[in-house]
């Protein structure tokens, strides 16, 4: 990495600017000067925005919330890579020391038919929410903490479930996949619940409802490119997709009982 005398960097940014869903959008060039290598990527964009505001121009709109890798909001394609050049970090956790003085950086929103661009770098990820709403929960009565602790769960299953639960719903898997597939996201949610006894009872209904919703939202299918796994900031493994496919086949062989309105089964 090369930086100027005081470690500060001067960068050229090409940022996707788009007024709304209908606007065609285009790249605009900005200079980011005197950027500290200790800043996060979002702080660097904040600096550029401060400058734009001072000049009476429209700041770059981007999603963010926690700024500590938890909420999954800060989704940006940086030089064509979801969440940028560092492994297993979100954009808010990406440090500017990963770049060099004089670098040119292209910043784009997630690109997928299911994630329409709302403005600049902000996309509508409602499709992921609707997959969760379709059955990304358990309706079984789980009781209080002592009840939970009374149910024996093997360490292997508990660890695997926790690995899947690390998914923050950022959508990088969709944005990185050439088919814009949401299978890693959906599989993580299905795996996290289905591996535990409290969630297992509804596993068959859950997998069918969530996969159906995923297809209805217009996401593509998995053709084993593994880009989702490579770009996931939480290191979710593609083996969860195989697990989901097995659960789906099992649910087709042994269809779940449909609970009709009014309580009949
Ligand atoms: S599986 Fe990974 S990339 Fe996909 S939404 Fe979850 S955290 Fe983001
Ligand atoms: S702002 Fe929450 S994960 Fe980046």
């Amino acid at each position: 990495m090369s930086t100027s005398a005081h470690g500060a960097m001067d960068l050229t940014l090409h940022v996707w600017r788009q007024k709304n869903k209908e606007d065609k959008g285009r790249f605009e060039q900005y200079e980011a000067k005197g950027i500290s290598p200790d800043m996060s990527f979002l702080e660097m964009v904040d600096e550029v925005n401060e400058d734009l505001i001072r000049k009476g121009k429209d700041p770059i709109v981007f999603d963010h919330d926690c700024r500590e890798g938890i909420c999954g909001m800060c989704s940006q394609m940086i030089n064509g890579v979801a969440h940028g050049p560092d492994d297993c970090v979100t954009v808010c956790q990406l440090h500017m020391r990963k770049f060099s003085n004089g670098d040119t950086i292209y910043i784009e929103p997630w690109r997928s038919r299911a994630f329409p661009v709302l403005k600049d770098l902000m996309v509508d990820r409602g499709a992921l929410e609707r997959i969760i709403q379709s059955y990304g929960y358990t309706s079984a009565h789980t009781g209080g903490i002592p009840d939970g602790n009374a149910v024996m769960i093997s360490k292997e299953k508990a660890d695997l479930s926790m690995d899947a639960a690390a998914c923050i719903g950022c959508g990088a898997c969709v944005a990185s996949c050439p088919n814009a597939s949401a299978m890693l996201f959906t599989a993580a949610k299905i795996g996290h619940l289905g591996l535990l006894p409290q969630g297992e009872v509804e596993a068959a209904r859950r997998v069918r409802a969530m996969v159906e919703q995923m297809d209805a939202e217009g996401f593509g299918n998995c053709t084993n490119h593994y880009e989702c796994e490579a770009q996931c900031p939480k290191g979710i493994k593609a083996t969860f997709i195989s697990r989901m496919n097995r659960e789906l086949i099992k649910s087709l062989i042994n269809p779940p009982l449909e609970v009709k309105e009014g309580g009949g089964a």
Side-chain angles (χ1 to χ4, degrees):
M1 184 187 77
S2 65
T3 51
S4 65
H6 306 290
M9 296 180 280
D10 294 339
L11 307 159
T12 301
L13 309 183
H14 294 271
V15 184
W16 188 259
R17 304 301 308 260
Q18 186 172 332
K19 284 190 173 62
N20 49 43
K21 273 187 204 173
E22 288 71 40
D23 183 20
K24 271 179 72 180
R26 76 244 153 249
F27 279 107
E28 280 188 12
Q29 186 175 327
Y30 303 100
E31 302 305 322
K33 293 203 179 293
I35 298 300
S36 160
D38 297 330
M39 279 181 184
S40 75
F41 197 85
L42 293 189
E43 284 168 337
M44 183 276 290
V45 181
D46 288 339
E47 289 278 309
V48 174
N49 273 347
E50 292 287 335
D51 196 44
L52 286 173
I53 292 165
R54 270 195 297 273
K55 290 175 179 154
K57 294 187 178 159
D58 227 10
I60 301 156
V61 172
F62 63 95
D63 259 332
H64 61 104
D65 190 3
C66 71
R67 295 204 178 208
E68 54 182 347
I70 295 170
C71 72
M73 296 295 287
C74 58
S75 307
Q76 295 174 19
M77 210 37 123
I78 299 166
N79 286 342
V81 180
H83 292 295
D86 211 355
D87 285 339
C88 288
V89 298
T90 53
V91 176
C92 60
Q93 297 172 302
L94 176 65
H95 281 100
M96 291 313 296
R97 66 180 79 102
K98 289 281 160 187
F99 298 89
S100 301
N101 187 35
D103 271 2
T104 297
I105 306 175
Y106 283 80
I107 313 174
E108 296 172 76
W110 283 172
R111 304 227 184 251
S112 155
R113 193 177 51 180
F115 292 161
V117 175
L118 297 175
K119 191 166 177 172
D120 300 338
L121 306 174
M122 182 192 275
V123 301
D124 178 358
R125 274 170 299 186
L128 298 187
E129 292 299 323
R130 289 188 290 276
I131 294 174
I132 296 289
Q133 283 162 12
S134 71
Y135 223 129
Y137 51 84
T138 174
S139 58
H141 191 57
T142 53
I145 293 167
D147 303 297
N149 288 339
V151 180
M152 298 300 282
I153 300 167
S154 70
K155 168 128 176 70
E156 193 187 284
K157 277 196 173 181
D159 284 353
L160 206 53
S161 176
M162 281 305 288
D163 288 349
C167 169
I168 53 173
C170 63
C173 43
V174 177
S176 309
C177 175
N179 307 330
S181 168
M183 286 185 98
L184 191 64
F185 164 80
T186 311
K189 301 299 175 193
I190 286 171
H192 139 222
L193 290 164
L195 277 156
L196 301 178
Q198 294 91 336
E200 210 174 0
V201 281
E202 292 164 293
R205 274 187 231 156
R206 181 179 304 113
V207 70
R208 286 177 61 155
M210 291 182 78
V211 167
E212 208 170 283
Q213 188 63 37
M214 178 183 78
D215 289 343
E217 295 291 347
F219 292 108
N221 214 332
C222 173
T223 48
N224 298 320
H225 287 269
Y226 291 91
E227 281 298 314
C228 55
E229 181 180 293
Q231 305 307 339
C232 172
K234 297 295 160 184
I236 310 277
K237 297 275 173 252
T239 45
F240 281 106
I241 297 179
S242 326
R243 225 191 146 270
M244 174 176 78
N245 287 339
R246 280 199 302 277
E247 268 197 34
L248 185 64
I249 291 168
K250 255 171 35 193
S251 81
L252 294 170
I253 297 168
N254 286 316
L257 291 176
E258 286 302 321
V259 178
K260 303 261 189 274
E261 225 172 299

